[in-house]
Amino acid sequence: MLKELLCLSNYQAGKLALGKRAMDEKYFPEVIEKKWQQRWAEGQAFEAGNDDTRPKFYSLEMLPYPSGFLHMGHVRNYSIGDALAWYKRLQGFNVLHPIGWDSFGQPAEQAAIKRGVNPRAWTEENIAHMRGQLKRLGISYDWSREIAAHRPDYYKWDQWFFLKMFERGLAYKKQSPVNWCPKEGTVLSNEQSSGGICWRCGTAVEKRNVEQWFLRITEYAEQLVGQIEQIESSWPEKVLKRQRDWVGRSEGAYIDFSVKDSDKKIRVFTTRIDTIFGATAVVLAPDHPLIVELMKDSALMNDVQKFAEKVAVARARPADATAEEVKEGLNTGVLAINPFSGENIPVWVANYVLMDYGTGAVMSVPAHDQRDFEFAQKYSLPIRQVIAPASHGQPSAEPVSVTGTDQSAEMHQAFTDYGVLINSGEWGGKLSEVAIREMTLFAEKHKFGGGAVTYRLRDWGVSRQRFWGAPVPIINCDDCGAVAVPYDDLPVMLPENAEFTGTGQSPLAGVPEFVNTTCPKCNGPARRDTDTMDTFVDSSWYFFRYTDPRNADAPFDPAVAAQWTPVDQYVGGDSHAVMHLIYTRFWTKFMRDIGLVSFDEPVKRLLTQGMVTNIVEGTDEWKAMSKSLGNGVDPDEMIRAFGADATRLFILFAAPVENELRWIETGIEGGVRFLRKVYSMVWRWHERLSDLSQRHDEPAPDEIGPAGQALRRKTHQTIARVTSDFEHLHLNTSVSALMELFNELNEFDVTPTNASAADVFVVREALESLTVMLAPFSPHVAEELWEQLGHAGGLIPKVGESARWPKVNQQHARKAELEIPVQVNGKLRSR
RNA sequence: GCGAAAGUGGCGGAAUUGGCAGACGCGCCAGACUUAGGAUCUGGUACCGAAAGGUGUGGGGGUUCGAGUCCCCCCUUUCGCACCA
């Protein structure tokens, strides 16, 4: 499969056959890459200084899980982030480009259960291997800031944050139905079970009633929607849309329906108060707590309870994504009073009303809500039309007169648009928009309702019945309840001697030395909480830790973090659009509220890169590379065969960063070809160019021949193009621009031996520009060429050195003559 | 079903604001050098046509001197959401 282009063997074979000089002229990525990786390490080339006064740039890629092996998705992710880091460095920015490990989580524990290995050892081994891979790729990380979530000096701060939230009532424990993945044997958050399937393994989730810790993300629902405007222009629209949908802000009103012959009230939420005259029932969720009180003495109580149980059982079953549940319900015999019309209407329970949205109760308006319509048809509830279509959407000042009282017989579906109110007493004739406003005020004035906003977002369940995570720092005392572990006692360390049985109980529960402790409040015997935290807690704030990674007294020094954050450019897959990316926004807002940061949004600009796909053997389908499909490509194999530079160049060239990238091995060979050609061109010229003391001043325009002028023009056009492409993250076209510049150089009809001083100047300008602009894509070979061109000390400007990135001279970039196409009747006539 | 985005050669994709469609690369074809080529170099490569010329950016209509780009209708694909009151 893999074509035998192996550089190492070529190099060794070549060394035997050719002399040293002949070898130098050939491009051997293996040799160049080793050389520069070593120099970068020795010179600490990528370490970001906190006391550097140049403008900062924080380039960040999403924290990887240390599965043991880098896959091509990682390579793409880091190649993009690294290109931007290099681009900014070459422009003279002080760049922070860190890496770390999301090293808590299921796979380590699975390995422990299945193969009896120690999760810590397993994780550390994986990290060591992947670190080696990243270094072979030559990604320019500041390794001195590396962090790993599973180390006590990191998870201590997870626990610290948890306690800060606990103190403020933002972390709380409650018994609640949660998403349970039967395959993973653990609870999942709503975000991790979107669509009813486990985000990790794709198994359909069940509902289970478990006592859980929750973080009150709903407290920030309004900000999570409202503050989107701060990042609207620099985050992908699709991510923001998903976040908006996920928070699900909905404006409407609540209304209290009095219960006949009772002092109880049923509160409903509606976005269509204008349809209230058409309400022909009030419908409660089967598990609505009011039911028990309302039906204390009712003969129907038993039936309703049975119905509720049936629904609960159905809901606990793994969701079948395609099947829409059939609407079912039961009349409770209780009557409610419509506060607008005074009418008595029946109270039902039904499976299509959800307890955990709004108030768990709705007013049923069959004529104007499709669900209510279907329900009413099934149970023969009256369907009463109260909204008429407004013609052309024009406000009609005249009340609409309606003849005939029962148009509902003709309705085949609910009319859900806004319109004009009819059959609505004093509100008749008003437009929906107006009626909604006025009726809400009316309800408020008469104290039976008012404006309300509800959210779909639920609190974040962070308890996991797992070992390999940060222990929840809480001690349960029979007398004092849940008590915070004192800050001085952090971290609550994971024990070394847990047993992994895979039973779904936290392995921590089986370690008496861990569990048994004393209550910090009363000193009585007490038990530690045995849940650990969702690993998404670790990744919610990790990039702040990079700014101050060894701080032993705080998660980070706010003053240091303020130098670097917010993140200027974040790069990652869009699979985290409503998981990590919403959690980290929440976390940042919390950190702001406790004075750690001074802004609302952690990430200025987000890029969601596309997947890397490969053809699945035996099919014609392109799918994301994966072990199970057997279509994975090993980055190390690519590095060995083609070099890291060519691999990275190809990945960035092959497709726009946000598109799917189809892996074509011949494409990567094209990358090698290009680098080899550039390399040998620099070699051809380097004797004329490398002596910088012989460098010429800029020649007068008339000293440069027409071919030189053209090359110069191309050089400056390329600088303009590549620079603008970087600003817009169009990395694929900037590579093609570099190739065009090379092609122009290749056609430049001057040889090193016959070149005039002016020619040499033009060639130097072109080659130096090409070399510098190549560095973000293929940094090793760029460094090598820069050295060949006579420069010592490496490409990255030190403090005090001027920026390396070439500057465009618009004068030179301008076309010498303008060709004007002639069109007659839209047809091209001559050129 | 609802919502959003996108349809350009054999393929990945170019085409700042409406102004020479197909840059750049892959693949393919031909030639050169070679014992050899899956190396390298040179040239060609949207379609029809011998040529002149014509036709072309999912389909149909429109605006315009001029449309891949703007407007309307339709088709297809991909991705989200899926009882959220």
Side-chain angles (χ1 to χ4, degrees):
Chain A
M1 267 227 314
L2 187 68
K3 294 183 180 139
E4 286 305 313
L5 226 168
L6 296 178
C7 311
L8 180 64
S9 51
N10 278 351
Y11 180 70
Q12 285 172 337
K15 246 190 328 200
L16 302 173
L18 305 164
K20 161 109 179 44
R21 200 198 136 86
M23 284 304 290
D24 283 348
E25 287 178 21
K26 294 190 88 167
Y27 172 55
F28 291 108
E30 148 99 13
V31 177
I32 293 171
E33 289 171 10
K34 267 218 180 98
K35 167 180 166 183
W36 286 98
Q37 283 164 17
Q38 207 169 343
R39 281 220 199 158
W40 290 330
E42 282 162 4
Q44 301 169 342
F46 308 127
E47 292 189 14
N50 280 354
D51 44 9
D52 194 321
T53 54
R54 296 177 295 181
K56 69 95 179 177
F57 188 83
Y58 191 168
S59 176
L60 181 70
E61 296 110 49
M62 286 183 184
L63 189 68
Y65 178 79
S67 62
F69 300 93
L70 232 49
H71 54 70
M72 278 299 165
H74 290 125
V75 178
R76 187 177 199 191
N77 192 175
Y78 309 146
S79 298
I80 295 167
D82 205 34
L84 299 169
W86 267 97
Y87 169 65
K88 286 294 177 178
R89 278 189 200 108
L90 292 166
Q91 285 193 324
F93 283 78
N94 180 27
V95 171
L96 175 57
H97 190 214
I99 188 71
W101 308 98
D102 190 14
S103 44
F104 270 142
Q106 304 276 32
E109 198 158 338
Q110 293 297 335
I113 293 167
K114 283 189 194 136
R115 291 183 277 129
V117 296
N118 178 300
R120 184 188 324 277
W122 185 85
T123 301
E124 290 288 357
E125 259 172 52
N126 288 350
I127 289 175
H129 184 246
M130 289 174 81
R131 190 189 294 122
Q133 290 186 298
L134 288 174
K135 288 189 173 175
R136 285 194 287 284
L137 264 176
I139 308 288
S140 66
Y141 290 128
D142 179 349
W143 288 101
S144 73
R145 293 171 186 260
E146 183 184 358
I147 58 173
H150 74 285
R151 301 199 183 125
D153 65 348
Y154 187 88
Y155 70 73
K156 172 179 180 177
W157 303 110
D158 289 332
Q159 294 170 340
W160 185 90
F161 277 118
F162 185 95
L163 292 179
K164 290 286 170 190
M165 289 196 186
F166 183 66
E167 279 171 12
R168 286 162 180 73
L170 294 173
Y172 65 96
K173 198 167 197 179
K174 73 169 180 197
Q175 176 98 6
S176 133
V178 293
N179 311 294
W180 178 267
C181 173
K183 189 168 169 204
E184 309 258 335
T186 190
V187 161
L188 300 170
S189 71
N190 294 316
E191 288 77 8
Q192 290 159 355
S193 54
S194 174
I197 54 170
C198 171
W199 71 289
R200 193 187 278 285
C201 67
T203 309
V205 300
E206 300 166 3
K207 290 281 179 190
R208 280 201 187 181
N209 234 359
V210 186
E211 188 162 54
Q212 294 292 308
W213 284 99
F214 287 87
L215 300 184
R216 217 179 282 281
I217 191 173
T218 52
E219 187 82 6
Y220 291 84
E222 187 60 42
Q223 294 181 41
L224 287 169
V225 177
Q227 288 167 356
I228 279 179
E229 68 175 37
Q230 297 180 23
I231 48 177
E232 206 148 31
S233 56
S234 52
W235 278 41
E237 187 45 48
K238 62 178 176 183
V239 172
L240 295 179
K241 184 188 182 308
R242 284 184 64 186
Q243 293 216 354
R244 276 197 198 95
D245 289 350
W246 191 259
V247 176
R249 184 180 195 278
S250 179
E251 263 181 64
Y254 68 89
I255 302 152
D256 294 327
F257 282 70
S258 302
V259 177
K260 194 168 159 62
D261 303 326
S262 159
D263 57 352
K264 299 272 187 278
K265 287 183 161 120
I266 301 172
R267 174 166 286 195
V268 305
F269 173 76
T270 179
T271 55
R272 293 299 301 273
I273 193 172
D274 58 316
T275 65
I276 195 165
F277 281 83
T280 53
V282 167
V283 186
L284 301 179
D287 45 342
H288 198 295
L290 212 54
I291 291 172
V292 183
E293 297 177 42
L294 292 175
M295 300 190 69
K296 262 200 307 264
D297 310 316
S298 171
L300 294 169
M301 183 64 181
N302 204 21
D303 294 346
V304 170
Q305 267 177 341
K306 267 196 202 143
F307 174 73
E309 273 165 37
K310 199 178 111 191
V311 172
V313 168
R315 290 215 178 126
R317 268 201 306 271
D320 180 353
T322 51
E324 184 159 312
E325 231 182 315
V326 183
K327 290 179 180 52
E328 279 183 59
L330 211 60
N331 193 337
T332 62
V334 178
L335 291 176
I337 302 161
N338 183 332
F340 273 89
S341 66
E343 190 181 4
N344 289 348
I345 54 176
V347 176
W348 285 64
V349 289
N351 62 347
Y352 76 96
V353 178
L354 309 172
M355 190 56 226
D356 61 0
Y357 183 77
T359 61
V362 301
M363 62 181 202
S364 175
V365 185
H368 303 293
D369 181 285
Q370 187 58 26
R371 294 153 303 183
D372 296 340
F373 182 81
E374 285 165 26
F375 190 68
Q377 281 203 317
K378 178 163 178 179
Y379 292 103
S380 305
L381 292 165
I383 299 172
R384 187 189 308 142
Q385 192 180 353
V386 293
I387 305 289
S391 48
H392 312 299
Q394 290 302 309
S396 132
E398 301 296 311
V400 177
S401 63
V402 177
T403 51
T405 47
D406 187 20
Q407 311 94 325
S408 57
E410 299 149 33
M411 291 186 88
H412 298 291
Q413 57 175 26
F415 174 72
T416 57
D417 292 347
Y418 280 0
V420 181
L421 276 69
I422 56 174
N423 296 331
S424 297
E426 58 179 292
W427 312 96
K430 292 195 190 277
L431 283 173
S432 293
E433 292 89 333
V434 177
I436 287 171
R437 242 184 352 257
E438 294 182 358
M439 292 170 93
T440 304
L441 286 174
F442 181 87
E444 210 168 306
K445 195 173 152 200
H446 292 86
K447 303 214 169 15
F448 62 80
V453 176
T454 58
Y455 302 90
R456 205 185 79 125
L457 184 71
R458 301 272 72 92
D459 278 337
W460 174 11
V462 293
S463 283
R464 297 293 179 269
Q465 292 67 45
R466 285 284 155 187
F467 171 78
W468 197 231
V472 169
I474 294 289
I475 291 167
N476 297 302
C477 170
D478 286 336
D479 296 327
C480 312
V483 180
V485 170
Y487 285 103
D488 286 346
D489 293 351
L490 296 183
V492 176
M493 299 270 283
L494 284 171
E496 287 292 341
N497 54 344
E499 276 185 53
F500 304 98
T501 54
T503 55
Q505 254 279 27
S506 169
L508 292 177
V511 185
E513 310 90 276
F514 177 84
V515 176
N516 298 323
T517 185
T518 53
C519 171
K521 253 191 199 159
C522 69
N523 269 322
R527 296 165 317 282
R528 279 190 199 284
D529 205 296
T530 57
D531 284 350
T532 53
M533 293 182 226
D534 185 358
T535 58
F536 279 89
V537 168
D538 314 334
S539 55
S540 290
W541 63 280
Y542 73 100
F543 47 90
F544 290 90
R545 182 72 177 172
Y546 283 138
T547 65
D548 193 13
R550 308 292 168 241
N551 196 322
D553 307 316
F556 52 86
D557 179 342
V560 173
Q563 286 178 32
W564 290 110
T565 54
V567 169
D568 293 282
Q569 176 70 61
Y570 201 12
V571 185
D574 63 3
S575 57
H576 288 295
V578 289
M579 293 193 285
H580 165 58
L581 288 171
I582 209 161
Y583 295 142
T584 195
R585 293 182 61 224
F586 155 60
W587 211 273
T588 301
K589 294 172 202 308
F590 172 70
M591 292 195 291
R592 175 203 60 203
D593 290 348
I594 60 172
L596 286 176
V597 303
S598 58
F599 43 79
D600 303 318
E601 292 294 336
V603 172
K604 278 193 198 163
R605 196 180 192 199
L606 174 71
L607 168 65
T608 49
Q609 104 231 16
M611 285 191 310
V612 182
T613 63
N614 198 3
I615 199 133
V616 181
E617 222 169 318
T619 74
D620 54 357
E621 282 182 282
W622 292 83
K623 291 197 172 159
M625 291 184 179
S626 82
K627 222 178 251 173
S628 56
L629 289 173
N631 64 343
V633 173
D634 177 13
D636 274 325
E637 229 175 284
M638 294 300 118
I639 295 170
R640 229 177 296 126
F642 307 108
D645 280 338
T647 304
R648 294 172 53 174
L649 184 78
F650 166 68
I651 276 192
L652 297 175
F653 172 61
V657 284
E658 67 276 8
N659 282 23
E660 171 191 341
L661 188 158
R662 297 187 164 188
W663 192 260
I664 312 262
E665 204 158 284
T666 49
I668 203 170
E669 289 172 22
V672 182
R673 263 198 289 276
F674 172 67
L675 294 179
R676 188 187 299 141
K677 288 190 285 191
V678 175
Y679 186 86
S680 51
M681 173 170 297
V682 169
W683 257 93
R684 266 207 316 285
W685 282 91
H686 101 280
E687 281 184 24
R688 283 296 303 267
L689 296 176
S690 61
D691 187 354
L692 291 181
S693 63
Q694 299 293 307
R695 196 171 194 166
H696 285 269
D697 292 336
E698 175 156 354
D702 55 359
E703 291 177 63
I704 307 173
Q709 299 271 17
L711 176 55
R712 195 143 205 229
R713 195 176 310 132
K714 190 67 180 180
T715 301
H716 284 273
Q717 285 169 350
T718 304
I719 296 167
R721 177 76 199 266
V722 174
T723 307
S724 128
D725 279 350
F726 261 99
E727 296 301 328
H728 298 104
L729 307 174
H730 296 164
L731 303 186
N732 58 324
T733 49
S734 51
V735 175
S736 64
L738 295 178
M739 289 173 169
E740 282 185 57
L741 175 58
F742 172 81
N743 291 345
E744 188 88 10
L745 257 163
N746 209 25
E747 281 161 30
F748 185 54
D749 202 14
V750 172
T751 65
T753 39
N754 70 12
S756 68
D759 291 333
V760 170
F761 178 88
V762 172
V763 169
R764 175 192 296 286
E765 185 180 52
L767 275 178
E768 286 188 349
S769 301
L770 178 60
T771 298
V772 172
M773 292 189 291
L774 184 61
F777 305 97
S778 301
H780 311 83
V781 71
E783 288 270 27
E784 182 68 19
L785 297 178
W786 187 246
E787 198 173 67
Q788 296 297 344
L789 291 167
H791 302 277
L795 265 169
I796 297 171
K798 315 256 180 317
V799 181
E801 277 187 324
S802 58
R804 217 73 92 192
W805 195 259
K807 286 192 183 61
V808 65
N809 181 325
Q810 294 296 349
Q811 211 101 60
H812 300 319
R814 199 168 299 147
K815 278 192 175 165
E817 58 205 56
L818 215 67
E819 222 177 287
I820 300 171
V822 179
Q823 285 179 17
V824 178
N825 289 336
K827 304 279 185 195
L828 189 67
R829 279 306 164 203
S830 67
R831 49 176 66 199

